[in-house]
Amino acid sequence: MSTETGRESQRSGALVDLMRWMENLSDTQYAYLLLLPVFLLLGIIALYPLLRTFELSLYAVSTDLSSTSFVGIDNYIQLFAGEKNRFLPGGTTFLPANLEFTSLLNSALVITILFAVVSVAFETIIGLGQALILDQDFYGRRWVRAAIIIPWAVPIVIQGMIFFLMFNNNVGFATPPLADLGLLAPTNTLNDTASAAFIIIVADIWKTSAFMALLILAGLQSIDRGLYDVAKVSGATKWQQFKLITFPLILPTIGVAVLFRSVQAMRIYGIIPTVSSCAVVPSLSCMVVATFNTREGTSAAIAFVTAAIIGAVVMGLILWQGEDAI
């Protein structure tokens, strides 16, 4: 009996010591303690695959695909030097061979960055406009919100088929008016790199602007409406209210939205083969898929470089948000 009582007191003592230790933690230390399971989970599902990808990038597959050999960073050197670009579809390269327009469009890195910058910029502007409209009180606002969400809910394959049929030379109706404006090639539109890239960017903007609008709308609705009442009493115009109240307060929300969309845009793949092909509009994800079966080491190197670029973009946006918050 005394032994069981001693065990219970020992357990109680250990639990009490643990509770006291947790109580003595600072707010920052306590927050990290709560986040520890999340960090462990991310390490398992995110960090390990990344390290495994880097490990694979240090090997090369033999010509007959029967064995692999350690080559160190040779895959990265050859990738940036362009020595292995000859086996990629459509003459696709990782880096442009020169600054000529054709060479730039054949570069998967250039196309990916161009797509990410242009699409995210327009999606942010359009999403901000939609959010400002949806933040107002008007009849039928619920139905307008539902209508805006519809493009975002459309699967990528269906989205791609819609734009493929719109710009197909045989059945499409959208090519002639845009070709007259000089925005598209009048014939063989979906096999022209510049035209197909333009169509894919428009398709992505059409689909994903709603995502930006919803995130920004959440930021708008968190603003204290009393600030606008004070501004009206002070005689501030609508533009001054937006400039001095609305925009500064939703800027962190816009930063988060841009962060999410930038990460997604850098991984663009599905819409490209659906509308055109990876040989016509290359991207980094297209290169990974195209080289996986025959050049696993190079494919892993491209994937790791893509992850590094995405990581750099994320860190840049986080640092920008931190400076803005200060």
Side-chain angles (χ1 to χ4, degrees):
M1 185 70 176
S2 59
T3 304
E4 293 179 357
T5 304
R7 289 178 179 175
E8 290 180 0
S9 61
Q10 184 178 3
R11 291 173 184 174
S12 301
L15 181 61
V16 170
D17 291 340
L18 177 62
M19 295 298 295
R20 288 176 179 174
W21 176 77
M22 294 178 62
E23 290 176 355
N24 292 328
L25 293 176
S26 65
D27 292 341
T28 302
Q29 291 173 333
Y30 188 68
Y32 279 118
L33 179 64
L34 295 178
L35 290 173
L36 183 60
V38 178
F39 291 151
L40 293 176
L41 182 62
L42 287 176
I44 295 173
I45 65 175
L47 184 59
Y48 172 75
L50 185 63
L51 294 177
R52 176 60 176 163
T53 300
F54 179 72
E55 180 185 2
L56 290 175
S57 70
L58 303 180
Y59 291 82
V61 182
S62 62
T63 305
D64 58 1
L65 307 180
S66 61
S67 62
T68 60
S69 59
F70 180 79
V71 294
I73 62 172
D74 185 56
N75 284 323
Y76 293 94
I77 295 174
Q78 294 181 347
L79 180 65
F80 283 93
E83 297 176 9
K84 284 193 173 182
N85 290 331
R86 61 183 181 274
F87 62 84
L88 297 175
T92 301
T93 60
F94 179 76
L95 293 174
N98 50 58
L99 297 180
E100 295 181 0
F101 185 69
T102 303
S103 179
L104 292 174
L105 292 182
N106 285 335
S107 168
L109 180 61
V110 171
I111 289 292
T112 303
I113 293 177
L114 177 67
F115 172 84
V117 171
V118 175
S119 62
V120 172
F122 277 94
E123 287 161 7
T124 304
I125 295 172
I126 296 173
L128 176 59
Q130 292 176 339
L132 290 172
I133 294 173
L134 295 177
D135 192 46
Q136 306 301 315
D137 291 326
F138 59 89
Y139 179 76
R141 182 175 63 172
R142 180 184 305 176
W143 299 106
V144 174
R145 287 184 178 181
I148 287 178
I149 296 174
I150 289 175
W152 185 42
V154 173
I156 292 179
V157 174
I158 297 177
Q159 171 202 9
M161 289 305 300
I162 290 173
F163 281 84
F164 172 80
L165 295 174
M166 285 174 58
F167 293 93
N168 184 278
N169 287 332
N170 297 323
V171 297
F173 61 88
T175 298
L178 293 178
D180 292 339
L181 296 175
L183 298 176
L184 298 177
T187 58
N188 207 22
T189 306
L190 296 178
N191 289 324
D192 178 73
T193 301
S195 300
F198 175 81
I199 294 169
I200 289 170
I201 290 174
V202 171
D204 189 75
I205 293 172
W206 171 78
K207 177 179 175 62
T208 322
S209 295
F211 173 79
M212 302 293 283
L214 292 176
L215 291 181
I216 297 173
L217 179 61
L220 285 172
Q221 295 187 336
S222 66
I223 298 176
D224 183 4
R225 300 299 167 176
L227 296 174
Y228 295 105
D229 295 334
V230 174
K232 291 177 182 178
V233 173
S234 302
T237 63
K238 290 290 185 180
W239 167 248
Q240 290 173 330
Q241 293 177 32
F242 174 80
K243 179 181 178 181
L244 301 177
I245 299 176
T246 305
F247 188 72
L249 292 179
I250 65 171
L251 192 57
T253 304
I254 293 176
V256 173
V258 170
L259 176 61
F260 287 157
R261 270 303 300 143
S262 297
V263 172
Q264 293 176 349
M266 289 295 295
R267 297 185 286 110
I268 178 67
Y269 174 72
I271 187 66
I272 294 177
T274 309
V275 174
S276 180
S277 70
C278 287
V280 176
V281 184
S283 72
L284 294 178
S285 296
C286 281
M287 289 185 70
V288 172
V289 175
T291 58
F292 180 76
N293 290 328
T294 57
R295 305 284 181 174
E296 187 179 87
T298 302
S299 178
I302 298 171
F304 189 81
V305 170
T306 304
I309 294 173
I310 293 175
V313 172
V314 170
M315 290 302 299
L317 290 173
I318 291 176
L319 291 174
W320 170 72
Q321 282 188 289
E323 293 177 359
D324 181 71
I326 293 174

